[in-house]
Amino acid sequence: MATGIVRGGLKDIRTLKYTNASAVAQGDVVVVNGQVLIATNAYAANAEGIYVFRARVEFPKEASLAIAPGEKCYWVAGAGNVNKTSAGNTAIGVCVENALTTDTVVLVELSENRV
């Protein structure tokens, strides 16, 4: 499973409690009700855990893709990475540091999708 690494200070991180049907490892990315969540620890299947829904998170990036600060980013569940294509993917936030085509990760300000 693809993972996200939470970066930044604790004061900027927002979490929620969630019970996932499958076991997860720390950092695993889970999409729940159109939201991308990051597991804060390893949790067994059907065990309540704490998941990050807002923070600066380092995600794997689609190969050979440049993402500039301020560009919208999307989670591609099937590929387990981030790109800039909205169609069929889940919005996760905006890029906060330049990610070059040679970079394998991108730093995103993960934020909840507002209705």
Side-chain angles (χ1 to χ4, degrees), residues 80-96:
N81 64 23
V82 169
N83 71 19
K84 301 185 293 187
T85 305
S86 62
N89 300 318
T90 305
I92 59 172
V94 297
C95 173
V96 294

Side-chain angles (χ1 to χ4, degrees), residues 6-14 54-56:
V6 177
R7 303 286 188 206
L10 290 176
K11 67 178 181 58
D12 300 321
I13 298 172
R14 299 293 178 261
R54 190 184 314 152
R56 287 192 177 199

Side-chain angles (χ1 to χ4, degrees), residues 1-5 18 20-32 36-45 51 58-60 75-81:
M1 182 177 276
T3 60
I5 301 170
Y18 176 68
N20 196 43
S22 301
V24 295
Q26 181 178 5
D28 278 355
V29 176
V30 179
V31 179
V32 178
V36 168
L37 307 176
I38 311 297
T40 61
N41 285 301
Y43 302 111
Y51 293 79
E58 184 180 282
F59 288 101
W75 179 251
V76 185
N81 64 23

